[in-house]
Amino acid sequence: MTFRTLATLLRGGKIRMFRALNGAARDFHRVAFLAGAIRSGLLPRLAAGPVPLDALASALRLDPSGHERLEAWLQTGIALGELEQRPGGYAARSALSRRLADPKHDAAAAFIEEIAGLHHALLTQTPERLHAGRRFTLADQNARMIARSSRLMEPFVCEALAGAVPRHGPFRLLEIGCGAAAYLRFAARRNPELTAVGVELQAEAAALARANIAEWNLEKRVSIELGDIRTRTSEASFDLATLHQNIYYFPVADRVALLRHVRSFLKPEGRLLLTTLSQGRGSPAAVLDLWGAMTAGCGRLPKPADLKAQLEKAGFSEVTSRRLVPGESFFAFVGIHRANLGRVRERRNAK
């Protein structure tokens, strides 16, 4: 580079732009590469490496013509700092790669896939879809992946759930949108006399929940139903109903009716526990809010004050909310079903 070229770049601010572009491109490429390594099943092999190129190609069932292309992909991982090449083959290099390969960090691995797939589609396709009047649908997302990634918030949700589930005594739990059934397992382990029903709208997630319940030997105490809670016949037989990270799967205009219907499943003095990310600062909340706005049949993230008012309008008493994650807009809401007060509140709201 000549001095004249350098001076031109400096005057035009292009060097700063190039540096910013390089940083942004590298971050995006890292996430996309890791998502590919996770989705293909190669990341655990690389974390246990080194693995020869031929063995990786065999794992992907490639014919000899694909080896060179696989090598180019692996070299990209090296350029990004995620992989390294040793005498025995390729291996994961970065701490992030090795952690994502650990099964105990499966929720984080799923979130990487979610960013590279669903979030990328939302952010790049929304303007075009708005122009065409074409929204996303639930079929556009991988339900199993979402069920897995939602477990990132598991420690905080379980903290709220522990405050609602007693350690002893008969207790019936209804979980609406049970996903991978992780919270049903937590509740069942907390109280050995607890029985539960999980209702799941998406077939893939329901299948995952059933498989997990069987693996955890909870089939005699926990059942999984595939369906929409809004069409399920009411039965006032549950001590607790929960909605975890899924209120935005329902349109805002339908939420009071939904919550009123959920209340009809509760015994007198039964409780509702609702955990959700709310509108607030940070890109995860913003992207999820966009997803709710752009997905047919869903709705935007709630504002805490609005959701509290909706719960009260649905007939719940003594509604409380608390922030579960310091500095983040992740909240737990609790409401009590007091039968007489609920009917009075409903009549008052109807006027």
Side-chain angles (χ1 to χ4, degrees), residues 240-243 259 262 266 270-274 311 316 333-335:
L240 176 68
T242 60
L243 291 97
L259 294 169
V262 171
L266 294 173
R271 297 188 176 201
L272 168 69
L273 169 64
L274 188 158
L311 285 161
F316 285 97
F333 296 81
V334 175

Side-chain angles (χ1 to χ4, degrees), residues 74-119:
L74 293 165
Q75 290 296 325
T76 301
I78 291 173
L80 292 168
E82 296 302 331
L83 303 182
E84 61 183 353
Q85 191 167 11
R86 302 178 190 170
Y90 295 89
R93 177 187 178 188
S94 74
L96 179 60
S97 291
R98 292 194 298 271
R99 287 171 183 159
L100 290 173
D102 189 330
K104 72 181 180 183
H105 296 306
D106 179 68
F111 189 59
I112 289 288
E113 292 186 72
E114 183 181 331
I115 294 170
L118 179 60
H119 294 195

Side-chain angles (χ1 to χ4, degrees), residues 13 58 169:
S58 177

Side-chain angles (χ1 to χ4, degrees), residues 181 184-185 188 194-198 213 218-224:
L184 291 171
R185 176 176 63 169
L194 176 143
T195 58
V197 175
I213 291 299
L218 290 172
E219 291 171 296
K220 292 182 179 179
R221 296 170 56 201
V222 179
S223 63
I224 305 298

Side-chain angles (χ1 to χ4, degrees), residues 117-316:
L118 179 60
H119 294 195
H120 175 260
L122 278 167
L123 293 168
T124 58
Q125 296 178 25
T126 286
E128 180 183 348
R129 283 175 176 263
L130 285 171
H131 180 71
R134 186 165 55 96
R135 300 175 75 182
F136 291 93
T137 69
L138 292 178
D140 293 319
Q141 69 179 28
N142 183 323
R144 289 176 69 94
M145 178 190 69
I146 298 299
R148 289 165 50 219
S149 69
S150 67
R151 294 186 65 183
L152 273 174
M153 305 307 290
E154 187 171 329
F156 309 105
V157 174
C158 287
E159 177 186 313
L161 193 54
V165 175
R167 288 192 175 277
H168 306 285
F171 195 82
R172 288 203 77 201
L173 167 64
L174 172 66
E175 181 167 347
I176 300 155
C178 62
Y183 305 126
L184 291 171
R185 176 176 63 169
F186 174 84
R189 286 180 172 177
R190 179 174 173 80
N191 183 338
E193 297 179 73
L194 176 143
T195 58
V197 175
V199 180
E200 175 54 52
L201 182 64
Q202 296 182 276
E204 283 185 272
L208 176 61
R210 287 194 184 107
N212 285 339
I213 291 299
E215 182 181 343
W216 300 330
N217 296 316
L218 290 172
E219 291 171 296
K220 292 182 179 179
R221 296 170 56 201
V222 179
S223 63
I224 305 298
E225 298 179 3
L226 173 63
D228 190 331
I229 190 64
R230 291 170 292 189
T231 62
R232 193 178 193 271
T233 303
S234 300
E235 49 167 321
S237 61
F238 293 93
D239 299 285
L240 176 68
T242 60
L243 291 97
H244 297 304
Q245 305 178 79
N246 57 16
I247 191 65
Y248 34 82
Y249 277 74
F250 303 94
V252 176
D254 296 350
R255 288 177 190 171
V256 171
L258 164 73
L259 294 169
R260 186 178 293 123
H261 184 56
V262 171
R263 187 168 64 82
S264 70
F265 288 92
L266 294 173
K267 301 174 183 177
E269 305 302 313
R271 297 188 176 201
L272 168 69
L273 169 64
L274 188 158
T275 59
T276 184
L277 195 61
S278 303
Q279 291 186 33
R281 295 175 298 179
S283 62
V287 172
L288 189 53
D289 187 41
L290 173 63
W291 176 86
M294 283 297 298
T295 302
C298 298
R300 297 185 65 180
L301 292 184
K303 295 178 181 177
D306 291 345
L307 185 52
K308 186 173 185 289
Q310 289 166 351
L311 285 161
E312 291 172 345
K313 192 171 183 179
F316 285 97

